[in-house]
Amino acid sequence: QVPFVESGGGLVQPGGSLRLSCAGAGDSVSDEIMTWHRQAPGKAREWVATLFPGGATFYTDSVKGRFTVSRDEAKNTMYLEMNSLQPDDTPVYYCQKPGPSKWGQGTQVTVAS
C-alpha cells in the first residue's frame, strides 16, 4: 500500500490553474515535513516545494509566486495550488515525506493548448 495518494492532475491550457492533493493513505501528512516533487520523462526528479509543521513554506525559484503548498490536518491532506501554469510545469507530480523517504504514486499534469 502506498503511503500517500496524489490526485488532481489533468490537462490544462497555459495560464490555467490546478490544485493537486496528497492524501495520507496509511501515513500522516499532518504536523510533518512534507514535500512536492516533479519529474518529466527522461529527466531527474526535481524538488518543487516544502511545507514545515509550523506552516513555513519554501519553493524552487521557477514556481515562486505561482504555486502555494498547504495542508488540511483534519483531512490528513496536503495541497499544491498551481496558477499561471506553463508547458514546463507539465511532468508527473509526487508528494513525499522525508526521513525515511516515503512517496506517493504521482499524478500527471499536462499543460498544453
Side-chain angles (χ1 to χ4, degrees), residues 2-102:
V2 294
F4 310 109
V5 177
E6 297 95 334
S7 61
L11 174 62
V12 63
Q13 293 186 340
S17 300
L18 283 174
R19 188 178 77 158
L20 306 183
S21 299
C22 168
D27 209 323
S28 173
V29 303
S30 300
D31 201 30
E32 303 277 358
I33 297 173
M34 295 292 299
T35 65
W36 284 99
H37 297 252
R38 62 188 182 185
Q39 186 171 22
K43 294 188 177 181
R45 195 166 290 187
E46 171 193 24
W47 168 74
V48 175
T50 300
L51 174 63
F52 285 86
T57 55
F58 293 89
Y59 302 91
T60 191
D61 285 347
S62 62
V63 308
K64 283 180 182 177
R66 302 188 298 120
F67 289 12
T68 303
V69 60
S70 63
R71 87 178 105 209
D72 184 332
E73 296 197 354
K75 295 182 178 180
N76 196 29
T77 299
M78 178 176 64
Y79 302 100
L80 183 67
E81 185 78 33
M82 307 187 297
N83 299 310
S84 302
L85 285 164
Q86 300 301 320
D88 285 348
D89 298 318
T90 274
V92 178
Y93 284 74
Y94 301 88
C95 62
Q96 181 241 15
K97 181 161 71 173
S101 187
K102 298 179 182 180

Side-chain angles (χ1 to χ4, degrees), residues 100-112:
S101 187
K102 298 179 182 180
W103 296 87
Q105 86 290 349
T107 185
Q108 176 73 53
V109 171
T110 302
V111 183

